[in-house]
Each structure stands twice: as structure tokens, then as C-alpha cells.
Amino acid sequence: MEDKRESSVSPTSFTSVLKLSQIGAASVPKCYVLPPLLRPNLGLCPNPALVSPIIDLSSLHHPIHGLRIKEEVRLACKDSGFFQVINHGIPLSVMNDALDAATDFFELPHEEKMSLASANIREPVRYGTSLNHVKDRVLFWRDFIKHYSHPISTWIDQWPSNPKTYKEKMGNYTQAVHALHRKLMGVVFENLGLSPKYLHEGIYEGSQVMAVNCYPTCPEPDLVLGMPPHSDYGYMTIILQNHQGLEIMSHDRKWYEVPVRKGALVIQIGDQMEIISNGLCKSLVHRATVNSDTDRISIASLHSLALERKVGPASELLVDDQHPLSYTEGSFSGFLDFISNNDIMEVRYIDALKKDP
Ligand SMILES: O=C(O)CCC(=O)C(=O)O
Ligand SMILES: [Fe+2]
């Protein structure tokens, strides 16, 4: 198939991968083909030790069982920065409605979605493709709509008004997932012995961005990625997905598939939490693969401190010769500048903030 790169470089006029998928070509355009070393190795086995933390939150407030659940969260944050939760309090119907709203949005006519396209990565509502298709040297097999979401009353009017039920369905899920992240962050902070005051101020002034991702079926899934390896800059990400495709990197730099479990939500620790905890929590490196059978939708709720707020290791944490201060301060805004000027396939913002050992 011909290289569509030329027609894809304008910020507000690009070919969506959904459109390419619907054409039904037998191969992908060259601009999506990754160098061999960066290609996915599809068909990986899940690593039970890494992907098994499925934490049942139903007894979180029980005086005895609650302690065990908090310990499970502590270990998952320390070891990998990854776990899944069940019995988290968000009804399956609310989750399914959000996935339906996302599917209906991507099925809108291309021109209608393009009215939300923007070259400005700080735009509160933005439809796009790849990661940053204007800058990416190789394109990724993903279309997305991202919208600022907290406080919801500030942003919801700017969300897509078509499909008609989008705001209601996505809004219900957005608020439910914000409440869940507050509950989980309470546990993460308690485990670190950090004051809830820090947490509450941070969260209420903080940001929630919903990244609604569509990975359409792809004729050559072993040559492309839906999203490149990266860690999320915020402190926590919660992912709702309808099909397999998320892969996480283990300590030995191997990739493992995350199995999809009905009703479960994926929890990922992000860079800000690694920094706040001075390295006691791990920011998870992950990527998205695609497949030739099923369109995949994922909805990532990205939680971070306010755009301009400086984030460094919490002052209450023990820092001494045994536990040296490991990071300099960064901010969400600094991250946005960083990704505008660097290739995230080559360098992560958090690595730039790490102090020399
Ligand atoms: O699609 C996925 O499972 C991952 C999405 C993701 O990593 C992101 O939106 O930051
Ligand atoms: Fe991510």
C-alpha cells in the first residue's frame, strides 16, 4: 500500500486509522511500519507473577481484611506499579455505557470528528491519530479523543455533543472513576505514611484527562503498535478496555500481555507517584498492540497534579544516606514541553528528572 505520510502531516487534516482499516487493504502504509527491533512480539504468554495482582476491593473497609488489601496494593505499587481491581464499586452498566459512547463517537463521519482536531497538545478537547502525528517519525495505529474532565462542570460543555448520549454516558463513568481513584490514592498515601492533606489538596486542584482510544483492526498487526512504550506522567491511570492489547514491561525489560477480565479495571502508577514516593512506587512502562480480528477501545483516565504544580519527593519521606533524594522537581506542564521537544521512544521525562546515583 502507498505511503500515506504526505497526506497525514497536517494537524487538522489526516487519515484516521479507522478509515484505513475500513478500506480493508491487505497491508499497512509504510509510515506505520516499525523498525524490526521495536515491533511487538505478539502471542506472548501472560506472566502470572506480574499480571496476576487482581485485588478485590469489596472488603477494603473491613478492620482485618482491609489491612490485607492495603498490603496487596503496597506490594503491587512497589514491585511493578500495576494491578487490576474488582468489586471496585463502578457498576458494569456504567462501564459498558462509556465503551458504547466511545464506539459511537468513533463511528461518526470523519469530517465531524475532524472539527475537534488540533495541533495544540494543550487543547482541552482534541481528536487525533497516532501519538502526535505531526511529529511522530513512525505513526501508531491509534485514533483518540482526549478531554479534560475534572472538575467535570468546567469542561463537559466542551465535550463532543454528538453522539447525543456521549456527555451523559462518558460523564457518569468519568465521575465514578474519579471517585475510585480518590479511594485508591487514599490507600497508596496511607501505605507511604503520607498526610491525607497533601493528597486532598493535590487531587481537588488536580487534573483528570480522559484518553479515549480506538485501535481498529489492522491487516499487519505484527509490524505496528497502537501506542509506543511509555509511562504516564500523572500519578495514577485507570484503564477500561473491551479487548486484549495492553502490554506491560517487567523489571527484566520483557513484555507481558495483560489479560482482560470482565468488570475489572487496570490500575497503573505513573511518573508523578514515583517522584512523590522518591522511588518507593514504580511508574509502569506499557504499550498497546493491535490485532487483525477486533477493533479495540480503551478509556484511560489519567490523573495528575495541576498543570503548573511542581512535583518532587514528599518532604515527609525519610531522606538520608540510605534513602537519598532521587528526583528533581518536574510538573505536568514541563512534561508537555518535554514531549513536544523529544521523541518518547528514546527518552522519558522521569529519566530526565532522575538525579545521578
Ligand atoms: O490502550 C491502552 O490499553 C493503553 C492506553 C495508554 O497507555 C494511554 O492512553 O496512555
Ligand atoms: Fe499510557
Side-chain angles (χ1 to χ4, degrees), residues 142 146 211-213 215 227-228 230-232 237 239-241 245-247 268 286-288 296-300 302:
R142 169 182 85 138
K146 287 189 181 183
V212 182
N213 303 308
Y215 307 94
M227 271 194 103
H230 68 283
S231 56
D232 296 336
T237 302
I239 297 180
L240 166 62
Q241 53 178 344
L246 177 63
E247 290 185 358
Q268 301 184 160
H286 54 285
R287 68 182 184 184
R296 173 170 181 263
I297 299 281
S298 73
I299 305 177
L302 301 147

Side-chain angles (χ1 to χ4, degrees), residues 1-5 8 15-35 39-40 42 138-142 215-226 290-292:
M1 199 186 205
E2 71 178 290
D3 190 340
K4 285 271 186 337
R5 184 88 179 115
S8 307
T15 312
S16 74
V17 282
L18 188 59
K19 214 167 166 180
L20 288 176
S21 170
Q22 286 165 347
I23 293 168
S27 59
V28 295
K30 278 207 284 287
C31 54
Y32 291 90
V33 176
L34 288 160
R39 290 180 194 166
L42 298 176
V138 178
L139 296 178
F140 299 100
W141 199 261
R142 169 182 85 138
Y215 307 94
T217 53
C218 174
E220 294 179 295
D222 43 352
L223 301 184
V224 309
L225 278 173
V290 301
N291 71 83
S292 53

